[in-house]
Amino acid sequence: MNEKLNFEIDKRKAARYFYRRCIITIVFGLITFGIITIVFGLITFGIGLVATLVYAFTFGPWLSRRQAEALIYALDGTTIRIDQGVYFLKRKAIPLDRVTDIVVTQGPLMRWCGLWRLDIQTAGSGEQQAEGYLYALRDPEAVRDQLLIARDQAVESGNTKHI
C-alpha cells in the first residue's frame, strides 16, 4: 500500500463547529469575567462585550472557514497524515503500526453541528488523550474501518516505513 489516499472532509460543517466552539468559549469567558467584574466593581465588562461582538461577526467566521479549509487528512502508505492550522501550522504523521484504537466520538456541540470526530489512539504516546483527531469526515465509520484494515495489514506485513 504505497498510494496516498485523501479523506473527504465536510469543510462547511467543520467551519460551523470551529466557530460555535469559539463563541461558546468566549461566552463562558465573558460570564466568568462578568462575575469578577460584579464582585470587584470594575467597569471594563462593556469593553469585553463589545470586543466579543466585533469578533463574533467579523474575524470569527473568517478564521473558522480558514481552519476548516486547512484540514487535510490522508493515508500515505502506512502513515496517517494530519495537516491543520491557519497561523500555526501543524503536520502530524502517525505510523499505522503504533495505532491501538480509532474511536468515533460525538459530543453535544458536534451533534449540534452534525459531525463526528475520529480519535487516533497510539501505543507509547505517554498521554491519556488521543495522538490525532480527524474532524468532520464525510463517512467517519467507513474511514475508521479502512484505517483499521490498513493498520492490520501494516502490522501483519511488518513492513512499515517510518518518517
Side-chain angles (χ1 to χ4, degrees):
M1 175 185 271
N2 290 327
E3 74 278 355
K4 184 173 182 176
L5 173 65
N6 287 334
F7 297 115
E8 268 190 78
I9 303 167
D10 191 333
K11 306 263 182 173
R12 187 178 55 80
K13 286 182 180 180
R16 186 181 318 137
Y17 170 72
F18 292 140
Y19 179 68
R20 289 178 180 171
R21 183 176 68 179
C22 183
I23 294 300
I24 288 172
T25 302
I26 289 171
V27 166
F28 280 117
L30 272 176
I31 290 169
T32 303
F33 187 67
I35 291 170
I36 292 169
T37 301
I38 291 169
V39 170
F40 293 105
L42 302 174
I43 58 169
T44 57
F45 182 70
I47 296 170
L49 183 61
V50 169
T52 300
L53 292 174
V54 167
Y55 173 84
F57 293 110
T58 58
F59 187 67
W62 175 85
L63 182 60
S64 299
R65 282 192 303 275
R66 294 303 156 292
Q67 281 179 297
E69 289 169 7
L71 294 176
I72 299 173
Y73 308 134
L75 179 60
D76 187 6
T78 57
T79 304
I80 301 169
R81 302 214 180 264
I82 302 171
D83 293 354
Q84 61 191 23
V86 176
Y87 296 115
F88 298 96
L89 304 178
K90 184 176 180 183
R91 289 192 166 159
K92 242 182 191 198
I94 304 170
L96 282 172
D97 63 344
R98 285 189 42 225
V99 173
T100 56
D101 198 11
I102 300 173
V103 180
V104 181
T105 305
Q106 186 183 54
L109 181 58
M110 287 183 209
R111 191 172 306 121
W112 184 28
C113 296
L115 62 90
W116 292 82
R117 180 183 76 202
L118 290 185
D119 299 353
I120 311 291
Q121 310 213 346
T122 59
S125 66
E127 297 181 16
Q128 291 292 338
Q129 64 185 18
E131 177 94 13
Y133 300 101
L134 282 60
Y135 291 93
L137 292 166
R138 293 227 187 251
D139 191 356
E141 298 210 4
V143 170
R144 181 198 58 203
D145 294 343
Q146 188 175 16
L147 288 174
L148 289 173
I149 290 169
R151 187 239 5 225
D152 292 344
Q153 290 173 348
V155 170
E156 284 176 10
S157 72
N159 190 13
T160 58
K161 67 171 187 179
H162 295 281
I163 312 167

